[in-house]
Amino acid sequence: MEGEDYNKAFKLGKRDYQARMHRGVKPTLLVLDDIIPKKGAYSEESLGLVQIPIEQIVGTKSVGRSNSFAGNFMPILPEGSEFAYKWMSLSKSHVEEGIHDPIKAYEYMNRFYVAEGNKRVSVMKYFGAVSIPGEVTRIVPKQTEEKENKIYYEFLDFYKAAPINYIWFSQIGSFAKLQEAVGKEPGEEWTEEDLLKFSSVYTRFKSEYQAQGGGKLNITPGDAFLSFITLYGYDDIDEKTTNERKELITNCWEEFELLQEEQDISLKMQPNQEKRPLLNFLFSSGTSKLKIAFLYEKTPGTSAWTYAHELGRFHLEETFPDEVNTVCYDNTTSENVDSFLDDAVANGCNLIFTTTPSLAQASVKAAIANPDVRILNCSLNTSHRYIRTYYSRMHEAKFLMGAIAGAMAENDRLTYIADYPIYGSIANINAFALGAQLVNPRAEVYLEWSTMKEVDLDEKIRETRPSCISGRDMMIPEEASRFFGIYRMEDDGHLRNLAMPLWHWGKFYEQLIRTIMNGTWKYDDDSSDMKAINYWWGMSAGVIDVVCSQYLPIGTKRLVELLRATIMSEEFNPFSGILLSQTDIVQDDPNRSLLPEEIMTMDWLAENVIGTIPEKEELKEQAEPVIQQQGIKKKEG
């Protein structure tokens, strides 16, 4: 029997050996001594007795026995050798008694190399063991700027809280996201119960994921698992039946495939201009009306953002009275969003707009469950294959607003009030600052955040004494407040509005609807790549503008018209030429403009901005859902 097992293992080894040879890679075991940095460039740490995942044992410490095995740890020496005899003896012991003696191994970059016990590992791998006990010494390289090194150091921090060595990621920041996804604070230690639960949830997922072909994807099982629990919830996944979990994994496959993409977002910078008669749409779609649902986080009466989208909904009904029917859901929260989406689908809505970034995850779940319903989420730089996202290039309008404020800044001081440090908002701040600097090189922009804890905005403004203030983008109907757009306090104490940016969501929605009606919507889905789709339109599409007050001087109005014309014709980009941040040179090429991706993901502030980008912990609780989904990620290095 032992001889039969050895022959099978030998054949597996030979097959693996030959396959590696054909691929041009080392056919035998890796040798740690050939891989680790030079002495002095690493440190050693004893981990004691560790349960080592068998699939993460990839080689030997020294070259001694490395050539006795193929790269998969199966033997390649003939059956009559002394090595084969010892292997068969171990095989017999494993079948009759089990192998319990720990091996000795070194861990380097979370892969394990055997110092003593190579044949034990070989036998255990042959019999399909999941793990093997081992006395482990960890080799820690010096910290560098290389991606794999950064991921490893994140793993070391995670390991202190949760001694888990069987999950790995391919992207920086994932271990911190995992800690958060399972409901733990940064650095919070896991209990024994936590560790057992995680092992169960992850092992079940990994088995089902790999059974469906996960090994063919160019991501780690950990990457897929993190995406999965972020979407559906860690505790909820734990409670799913095997069949329910398998179905969800199948339905999520395009999300997993998308994780492989380096450039995972396809930006649509302009609406498709092709137009077909609406009758063609009606006859081809087989429906008399397109029923559209809008999900709002607040109400139009209490939120300027929601009010702007509500005006967009009215515009749709007026523009397409015979083709479109709309319905809206106010006060959408994390507790009721799933039921609102289910209700919209049940009531026949075949197109759904969720109008804030915090609703993105629920939108993806609903899209997976209802593949015949088109769902779009209003957010920027969100990477999901099952939904599309949309946003406006508001930084173009903010540049004009900054130019107006700079021209009116008698004491060179301006205040900019922002809400959340999310994708797009930093570009708005910097565009405003650059616009002010264009017309007034001495202009300084004092940045304040409306969602900061324990900050009195009115007091901060009194201390700064700015000539102009950039507040919320538009008025809130129920407040009837004039603290919006650019405004200033006159000497007599009265407030005077000078200009306001305009989110023309009506035109945005109209043009999106036309892509469905003219048949161009489906062309994006028919593309061969797996990129997520994000509509990011600006002034040239008519979805962003600036409305100037009658109180602006004629010369300032003419300047705004000139700048608007150059932006609309794409002759000028607010983020072109030499750009300086508070601490460094961002761009030193006078003839280059920042790429759209660079604008979307800005994590720096312009040199004339006085203020900082706050951390999540500094913000009020209301900011957490938005920051969770769309918070700015500081770039490494």
Side-chain angles (χ1 to χ4, degrees), residues 303-339:
S303 164
W305 177 260
T306 299
Y307 181 52
H309 285 278
E310 180 72 343
L311 292 177
R313 184 174 74 88
F314 289 156
H315 177 91
L316 273 188
E317 291 191 332
E318 292 175 358
T319 304
F320 305 115
D322 299 322
E323 298 86 16
V324 165
N325 185 27
T326 72
V327 62
C328 66
Y329 296 81
D330 293 338
N331 292 317
T332 306
T333 66
S334 58
E335 287 76 25
N336 63 28
V337 61
D338 292 334
S339 62

mmCIF file of all heavy atoms in Angstrom, residues 303-339:
data_model
loop_
_atom_site.group_PDB
_atom_site.id
_atom_site.type_symbol
_atom_site.label_atom_id
_atom_site.label_comp_id
_atom_site.label_asym_id
_atom_site.label_seq_id
_atom_site.Cartn_x
_atom_site.Cartn_y
_atom_site.Cartn_z
ATOM 1 N N SER A 303 -32.371 68.997 2.435
ATOM 2 C CA SER A 303 -31.034 68.777 1.888
ATOM 3 C C SER A 303 -30.908 69.425 0.513
ATOM 4 O O SER A 303 -31.705 69.141 -0.392
ATOM 5 C CB SER A 303 -30.753 67.269 1.771
ATOM 6 O OG SER A 303 -29.659 67.008 0.924
ATOM 7 N N ALA A 304 -29.903 70.286 0.361
ATOM 8 C CA ALA A 304 -29.657 70.920 -0.934
ATOM 9 C C ALA A 304 -29.288 69.882 -1.988
ATOM 10 O O ALA A 304 -29.689 69.976 -3.149
ATOM 11 C CB ALA A 304 -28.546 71.965 -0.797
ATOM 12 N N TRP A 305 -28.521 68.859 -1.571
ATOM 13 C CA TRP A 305 -28.111 67.794 -2.496
ATOM 14 C C TRP A 305 -29.335 67.037 -3.009
ATOM 15 O O TRP A 305 -29.492 66.810 -4.208
ATOM 16 C CB TRP A 305 -27.147 66.864 -1.791
ATOM 17 C CG TRP A 305 -26.693 65.679 -2.595
ATOM 18 C CD1 TRP A 305 -27.177 64.407 -2.512
ATOM 19 C CD2 TRP A 305 -25.669 65.657 -3.590
ATOM 20 N NE1 TRP A 305 -26.511 63.586 -3.403
ATOM 21 C CE2 TRP A 305 -25.587 64.328 -4.071
ATOM 22 C CE3 TRP A 305 -24.823 66.631 -4.115
ATOM 23 C CZ2 TRP A 305 -24.683 63.960 -5.066
ATOM 24 C CZ3 TRP A 305 -23.917 66.251 -5.098
ATOM 25 C CH2 TRP A 305 -23.854 64.930 -5.562
ATOM 26 N N THR A 306 -30.214 66.651 -2.088
ATOM 27 C CA THR A 306 -31.420 65.931 -2.489
ATOM 28 C C THR A 306 -32.332 66.819 -3.326
ATOM 29 O O THR A 306 -32.937 66.365 -4.311
ATOM 30 C CB THR A 306 -32.179 65.424 -1.243
ATOM 31 O OG1 THR A 306 -31.336 64.535 -0.514
ATOM 32 C CG2 THR A 306 -33.456 64.695 -1.629
ATOM 33 N N TYR A 307 -32.439 68.080 -2.968
ATOM 34 C CA TYR A 307 -33.274 69.028 -3.713
ATOM 35 C C TYR A 307 -32.803 69.130 -5.161
ATOM 36 O O TYR A 307 -33.625 69.162 -6.099
ATOM 37 C CB TYR A 307 -33.233 70.386 -3.037
ATOM 38 C CG TYR A 307 -34.079 71.451 -3.691
ATOM 39 C CD1 TYR A 307 -35.430 71.233 -3.971
ATOM 40 C CD2 TYR A 307 -33.537 72.694 -4.040
ATOM 41 C CE1 TYR A 307 -36.210 72.221 -4.570
ATOM 42 C CE2 TYR A 307 -34.297 73.678 -4.628
ATOM 43 C CZ TYR A 307 -35.630 73.442 -4.895
ATOM 44 O OH TYR A 307 -36.399 74.417 -5.490
ATOM 45 N N ALA A 308 -31.481 69.150 -5.366
ATOM 46 C CA ALA A 308 -30.948 69.242 -6.728
ATOM 47 C C ALA A 308 -31.338 68.017 -7.551
ATOM 48 O O ALA A 308 -31.694 68.129 -8.735
ATOM 49 C CB ALA A 308 -29.427 69.395 -6.677
ATOM 50 N N HIS A 309 -31.270 66.831 -6.931
ATOM 51 C CA HIS A 309 -31.665 65.613 -7.648
ATOM 52 C C HIS A 309 -33.181 65.571 -7.880
ATOM 53 O O HIS A 309 -33.641 65.060 -8.901
ATOM 54 C CB HIS A 309 -31.213 64.378 -6.868
ATOM 55 C CG HIS A 309 -29.751 64.111 -6.967
ATOM 56 N ND1 HIS A 309 -29.178 63.454 -8.028
ATOM 57 C CD2 HIS A 309 -28.724 64.441 -6.136
ATOM 58 C CE1 HIS A 309 -27.866 63.372 -7.845
ATOM 59 N NE2 HIS A 309 -27.575 63.965 -6.704
ATOM 60 N N GLU A 310 -33.946 66.114 -6.933
ATOM 61 C CA GLU A 310 -35.394 66.158 -7.102
ATOM 62 C C GLU A 310 -35.770 67.063 -8.280
ATOM 63 O O GLU A 310 -36.683 66.744 -9.063
ATOM 64 C CB GLU A 310 -36.056 66.641 -5.810
ATOM 65 C CG GLU A 310 -37.563 66.734 -5.869
ATOM 66 C CD GLU A 310 -38.270 65.387 -5.887
ATOM 67 O OE1 GLU A 310 -37.627 64.353 -6.166
ATOM 68 O OE2 GLU A 310 -39.486 65.364 -5.632
ATOM 69 N N LEU A 311 -35.059 68.179 -8.440
ATOM 70 C CA LEU A 311 -35.278 69.025 -9.609
ATOM 71 C C LEU A 311 -34.952 68.252 -10.885
ATOM 72 O O LEU A 311 -35.624 68.411 -11.918
ATOM 73 C CB LEU A 311 -34.412 70.290 -9.523
ATOM 74 C CG LEU A 311 -34.777 71.283 -8.414
ATOM 75 C CD1 LEU A 311 -33.783 72.440 -8.408
ATOM 76 C CD2 LEU A 311 -36.199 71.802 -8.583
ATOM 77 N N GLY A 312 -33.921 67.400 -10.813
ATOM 78 C CA GLY A 312 -33.580 66.556 -11.960
ATOM 79 C C GLY A 312 -34.688 65.574 -12.281
ATOM 80 O O GLY A 312 -34.985 65.308 -13.463
ATOM 81 N N ARG A 313 -35.318 65.022 -11.263
ATOM 82 C CA ARG A 313 -36.437 64.090 -11.475
ATOM 83 C C ARG A 313 -37.605 64.814 -12.152
ATOM 84 O O ARG A 313 -38.217 64.297 -13.097
ATOM 85 C CB ARG A 313 -36.880 63.486 -10.143
ATOM 86 C CG ARG A 313 -37.968 62.426 -10.284
ATOM 87 C CD ARG A 313 -38.261 61.765 -8.943
ATOM 88 N NE ARG A 313 -39.015 62.616 -8.049
ATOM 89 C CZ ARG A 313 -40.353 62.678 -8.009
ATOM 90 N NH1 ARG A 313 -41.073 61.944 -8.846
ATOM 91 N NH2 ARG A 313 -40.961 63.468 -7.137
ATOM 92 N N PHE A 314 -37.926 66.031 -11.680
ATOM 93 C CA PHE A 314 -39.001 66.811 -12.303
ATOM 94 C C PHE A 314 -38.681 67.100 -13.766
ATOM 95 O O PHE A 314 -39.568 67.055 -14.627
ATOM 96 C CB PHE A 314 -39.196 68.128 -11.546
ATOM 97 C CG PHE A 314 -39.812 67.962 -10.186
ATOM 98 C CD1 PHE A 314 -39.605 68.914 -9.192
ATOM 99 C CD2 PHE A 314 -40.598 66.861 -9.881
ATOM 100 C CE1 PHE A 314 -40.170 68.763 -7.934
ATOM 101 C CE2 PHE A 314 -41.167 66.696 -8.623
ATOM 102 C CZ PHE A 314 -40.946 67.661 -7.649
ATOM 103 N N HIS A 315 -37.411 67.420 -14.032
ATOM 104 C CA HIS A 315 -36.999 67.708 -15.407
ATOM 105 C C HIS A 315 -37.261 66.505 -16.319
ATOM 106 O O HIS A 315 -37.719 66.666 -17.460
ATOM 107 C CB HIS A 315 -35.513 68.075 -15.435
ATOM 108 C CG HIS A 315 -34.975 68.323 -16.807
ATOM 109 N ND1 HIS A 315 -34.967 69.563 -17.400
ATOM 110 C CD2 HIS A 315 -34.411 67.467 -17.724
ATOM 111 C CE1 HIS A 315 -34.432 69.472 -18.610
ATOM 112 N NE2 HIS A 315 -34.085 68.222 -18.826
ATOM 113 N N LEU A 316 -36.977 65.306 -15.816
ATOM 114 C CA LEU A 316 -37.222 64.096 -16.608
ATOM 115 C C LEU A 316 -38.701 63.951 -16.946
ATOM 116 O O LEU A 316 -39.066 63.644 -18.091
ATOM 117 C CB LEU A 316 -36.760 62.858 -15.837
ATOM 118 C CG LEU A 316 -35.317 62.411 -15.965
ATOM 119 C CD1 LEU A 316 -35.133 61.062 -15.267
ATOM 120 C CD2 LEU A 316 -34.895 62.314 -17.416
ATOM 121 N N GLU A 317 -39.554 64.154 -15.960
ATOM 122 C CA GLU A 317 -40.986 63.989 -16.200
ATOM 123 C C GLU A 317 -41.511 65.024 -17.187
ATOM 124 O O GLU A 317 -42.412 64.742 -17.982
ATOM 125 C CB GLU A 317 -41.744 64.081 -14.874
ATOM 126 C CG GLU A 317 -41.477 62.892 -13.947
ATOM 127 C CD GLU A 317 -42.422 62.845 -12.772
ATOM 128 O OE1 GLU A 317 -42.905 63.926 -12.352
ATOM 129 O OE2 GLU A 317 -42.695 61.737 -12.263
ATOM 130 N N GLU A 318 -40.940 66.235 -17.140
ATOM 131 C CA GLU A 318 -41.361 67.271 -18.078
ATOM 132 C C GLU A 318 -40.815 67.016 -19.477
ATOM 133 O O GLU A 318 -41.475 67.303 -20.478
ATOM 134 C CB GLU A 318 -40.898 68.642 -17.582
ATOM 135 C CG GLU A 318 -41.599 69.108 -16.316
ATOM 136 C CD GLU A 318 -41.039 70.417 -15.786
ATOM 137 O OE1 GLU A 318 -40.075 70.930 -16.405
ATOM 138 O OE2 GLU A 318 -41.554 70.916 -14.764
ATOM 139 N N THR A 319 -39.600 66.481 -19.560
ATOM 140 C CA THR A 319 -38.964 66.252 -20.861
ATOM 141 C C THR A 319 -39.558 65.037 -21.572
ATOM 142 O O THR A 319 -39.710 65.033 -22.801
ATOM 143 C CB THR A 319 -37.444 66.049 -20.680
ATOM 144 O OG1 THR A 319 -36.901 67.175 -19.985
ATOM 145 C CG2 THR A 319 -36.740 65.899 -22.030
ATOM 146 N N PHE A 320 -39.892 63.987 -20.796
ATOM 147 C CA PHE A 320 -40.419 62.748 -21.386
ATOM 148 C C PHE A 320 -41.787 62.408 -20.760
ATOM 149 O O PHE A 320 -41.934 61.377 -20.100
ATOM 150 C CB PHE A 320 -39.450 61.581 -21.141
ATOM 151 C CG PHE A 320 -38.045 61.818 -21.622
ATOM 152 C CD1 PHE A 320 -36.994 61.882 -20.706
ATOM 153 C CD2 PHE A 320 -37.768 61.965 -22.969
ATOM 154 C CE1 PHE A 320 -35.688 62.090 -21.132
ATOM 155 C CE2 PHE A 320 -36.465 62.164 -23.402
ATOM 156 C CZ PHE A 320 -35.428 62.235 -22.497
ATOM 157 N N PRO A 321 -42.792 63.252 -20.980
ATOM 158 C CA PRO A 321 -44.079 63.006 -20.309
ATOM 159 C C PRO A 321 -44.762 61.709 -20.743
ATOM 160 O O PRO A 321 -45.508 61.115 -19.967
ATOM 161 C CB PRO A 321 -44.924 64.226 -20.711
ATOM 162 C CG PRO A 321 -44.288 64.718 -21.978
ATOM 163 C CD PRO A 321 -42.827 64.448 -21.832
ATOM 164 N N ASP A 322 -44.493 61.256 -21.971
ATOM 165 C CA ASP A 322 -45.145 60.053 -22.481
ATOM 166 C C ASP A 322 -44.278 58.805 -22.376
ATOM 167 O O ASP A 322 -44.759 57.696 -22.623
ATOM 168 C CB ASP A 322 -45.547 60.253 -23.948
ATOM 169 C CG ASP A 322 -46.531 61.399 -24.120
ATOM 170 O OD1 ASP A 322 -47.397 61.540 -23.233
ATOM 171 O OD2 ASP A 322 -46.411 62.150 -25.103
ATOM 172 N N GLU A 323 -43.019 58.976 -22.051
ATOM 173 C CA GLU A 323 -42.092 57.834 -22.067
ATOM 174 C C GLU A 323 -41.581 57.449 -20.690
ATOM 175 O O GLU A 323 -41.081 56.338 -20.490
ATOM 176 C CB GLU A 323 -40.873 58.144 -22.960
ATOM 177 C CG GLU A 323 -41.198 58.388 -24.412
ATOM 178 C CD GLU A 323 -41.569 59.845 -24.668
ATOM 179 O OE1 GLU A 323 -41.289 60.711 -23.804
ATOM 180 O OE2 GLU A 323 -42.149 60.119 -25.738
ATOM 181 N N VAL A 324 -41.674 58.366 -19.721
ATOM 182 C CA VAL A 324 -41.035 58.150 -18.429
ATOM 183 C C VAL A 324 -42.029 58.355 -17.292
ATOM 184 O O VAL A 324 -42.827 59.298 -17.306
ATOM 185 C CB VAL A 324 -39.821 59.106 -18.266
ATOM 186 C CG1 VAL A 324 -39.374 59.161 -16.818
ATOM 187 C CG2 VAL A 324 -38.676 58.662 -19.154
ATOM 188 N N ASN A 325 -41.964 57.500 -16.315
ATOM 189 C CA ASN A 325 -42.723 57.648 -15.078
ATOM 190 C C ASN A 325 -41.737 57.487 -13.920
ATOM 191 O O ASN A 325 -40.914 56.570 -13.926
ATOM 192 C CB ASN A 325 -43.823 56.587 -14.997
ATOM 193 C CG ASN A 325 -44.700 56.788 -13.779
ATOM 194 O OD1 ASN A 325 -44.844 57.889 -13.284
ATOM 195 N ND2 ASN A 325 -45.260 55.695 -13.286
ATOM 196 N N THR A 326 -41.783 58.379 -12.926
ATOM 197 C CA THR A 326 -40.797 58.323 -11.842
ATOM 198 C C THR A 326 -41.476 58.202 -10.482
ATOM 199 O O THR A 326 -42.627 58.583 -10.297
ATOM 200 C CB THR A 326 -39.890 59.577 -11.826
ATOM 201 O OG1 THR A 326 -40.637 60.710 -11.371
ATOM 202 C CG2 THR A 326 -39.309 59.854 -13.194
ATOM 203 N N VAL A 327 -40.706 57.682 -9.537
ATOM 204 C CA VAL A 327 -41.135 57.590 -8.142
ATOM 205 C C VAL A 327 -39.906 57.836 -7.277
ATOM 206 O O VAL A 327 -38.775 57.566 -7.701
ATOM 207 C CB VAL A 327 -41.744 56.198 -7.849
ATOM 208 C CG1 VAL A 327 -40.710 55.105 -8.054
ATOM 209 C CG2 VAL A 327 -42.313 56.129 -6.442
ATOM 210 N N CYS A 328 -40.075 58.390 -6.083
ATOM 211 C CA CYS A 328 -38.913 58.666 -5.222
ATOM 212 C C CYS A 328 -39.138 58.099 -3.828
ATOM 213 O O CYS A 328 -40.273 57.934 -3.369
ATOM 214 C CB CYS A 328 -38.607 60.160 -5.154
ATOM 215 S SG CYS A 328 -39.880 61.151 -4.337
ATOM 216 N N TYR A 329 -38.030 57.790 -3.164
ATOM 217 C CA TYR A 329 -38.024 57.275 -1.794
ATOM 218 C C TYR A 329 -37.146 58.204 -0.960
ATOM 219 O O TYR A 329 -35.938 58.322 -1.224
ATOM 220 C CB TYR A 329 -37.470 55.857 -1.743
ATOM 221 C CG TYR A 329 -38.303 54.830 -2.486
ATOM 222 C CD1 TYR A 329 -38.203 54.685 -3.865
ATOM 223 C CD2 TYR A 329 -39.188 54.005 -1.801
ATOM 224 C CE1 TYR A 329 -38.953 53.748 -4.550
ATOM 225 C CE2 TYR A 329 -39.950 53.047 -2.466
ATOM 226 C CZ TYR A 329 -39.829 52.938 -3.851
ATOM 227 O OH TYR A 329 -40.577 52.001 -4.518
ATOM 228 N N ASP A 330 -37.740 58.874 0.022
ATOM 229 C CA ASP A 330 -36.999 59.805 0.880
ATOM 230 C C ASP A 330 -36.431 59.084 2.103
ATOM 231 O O ASP A 330 -36.861 57.984 2.467
ATOM 232 C CB ASP A 330 -37.918 60.926 1.366
ATOM 233 C CG ASP A 330 -38.363 61.842 0.239
ATOM 234 O OD1 ASP A 330 -37.679 61.882 -0.788
ATOM 235 O OD2 ASP A 330 -39.405 62.505 0.397
ATOM 236 N N ASN A 331 -35.472 59.763 2.743
ATOM 237 C CA ASN A 331 -34.912 59.289 4.027
ATOM 238 C C ASN A 331 -34.433 57.843 3.950
ATOM 239 O O ASN A 331 -34.751 57.013 4.806
ATOM 240 C CB ASN A 331 -35.943 59.454 5.146
ATOM 241 C CG ASN A 331 -36.218 60.906 5.476
ATOM 242 O OD1 ASN A 331 -35.291 61.717 5.558
ATOM 243 N ND2 ASN A 331 -37.486 61.259 5.647
ATOM 244 N N THR A 332 -33.655 57.542 2.923
ATOM 245 C CA THR A 332 -33.108 56.196 2.769
ATOM 246 C C THR A 332 -31.919 56.024 3.705
ATOM 247 O O THR A 332 -30.995 56.836 3.714
ATOM 248 C CB THR A 332 -32.654 55.966 1.320
ATOM 249 O OG1 THR A 332 -33.741 56.252 0.440
ATOM 250 C CG2 THR A 332 -32.219 54.528 1.120
ATOM 251 N N THR A 333 -31.941 54.960 4.491
ATOM 252 C CA THR A 333 -30.860 54.685 5.441
ATOM 253 C C THR A 333 -30.321 53.277 5.204
ATOM 254 O O THR A 333 -30.887 52.502 4.417
ATOM 255 C CB THR A 333 -31.366 54.782 6.892
ATOM 256 O OG1 THR A 333 -32.319 53.722 7.119
ATOM 257 C CG2 THR A 333 -32.036 56.124 7.152
ATOM 258 N N SER A 334 -29.250 52.931 5.912
ATOM 259 C CA SER A 334 -28.695 51.579 5.790
ATOM 260 C C SER A 334 -29.692 50.526 6.271
ATOM 261 O O SER A 334 -29.642 49.374 5.840
ATOM 262 C CB SER A 334 -27.390 51.472 6.586
ATOM 263 O OG SER A 334 -27.615 51.780 7.960
ATOM 264 N N GLU A 335 -30.607 50.931 7.151
ATOM 265 C CA GLU A 335 -31.595 49.981 7.668
ATOM 266 C C GLU A 335 -32.728 49.709 6.686
ATOM 267 O O GLU A 335 -33.265 48.600 6.634
ATOM 268 C CB GLU A 335 -32.195 50.498 8.992
ATOM 269 C CG GLU A 335 -31.252 50.405 10.178
ATOM 270 C CD GLU A 335 -30.178 51.484 10.166
ATOM 271 O OE1 GLU A 335 -30.423 52.550 9.545
ATOM 272 O OE2 GLU A 335 -29.101 51.263 10.751
ATOM 273 N N ASN A 336 -33.113 50.725 5.883
ATOM 274 C CA ASN A 336 -34.277 50.529 5.011
ATOM 275 C C ASN A 336 -33.959 50.479 3.524
ATOM 276 O O ASN A 336 -34.852 50.268 2.706
ATOM 277 C CB ASN A 336 -35.340 51.613 5.275
ATOM 278 C CG ASN A 336 -34.834 53.031 4.960
ATOM 279 O OD1 ASN A 336 -33.969 53.228 4.124
ATOM 280 N ND2 ASN A 336 -35.403 54.018 5.637
ATOM 281 N N VAL A 337 -32.689 50.689 3.159
ATOM 282 C CA VAL A 337 -32.366 50.776 1.729
ATOM 283 C C VAL A 337 -32.689 49.489 0.987
ATOM 284 O O VAL A 337 -33.196 49.526 -0.145
ATOM 285 C CB VAL A 337 -30.881 51.174 1.528
ATOM 286 C CG1 VAL A 337 -29.932 50.147 2.136
ATOM 287 C CG2 VAL A 337 -30.574 51.353 0.044
ATOM 288 N N ASP A 338 -32.428 48.335 1.590
ATOM 289 C CA ASP A 338 -32.718 47.074 0.903
ATOM 290 C C ASP A 338 -34.211 46.913 0.632
ATOM 291 O O ASP A 338 -34.614 46.476 -0.451
ATOM 292 C CB ASP A 338 -32.201 45.885 1.728
ATOM 293 C CG ASP A 338 -30.688 45.842 1.799
ATOM 294 O OD1 ASP A 338 -30.035 46.363 0.880
ATOM 295 O OD2 ASP A 338 -30.145 45.281 2.776
ATOM 296 N N SER A 339 -35.032 47.288 1.621
ATOM 297 C CA SER A 339 -36.481 47.162 1.421
ATOM 298 C C SER A 339 -36.985 48.171 0.390
ATOM 299 O O SER A 339 -37.895 47.863 -0.392
ATOM 300 C CB SER A 339 -37.218 47.345 2.755
ATOM 301 O OG SER A 339 -37.001 48.639 3.284
#
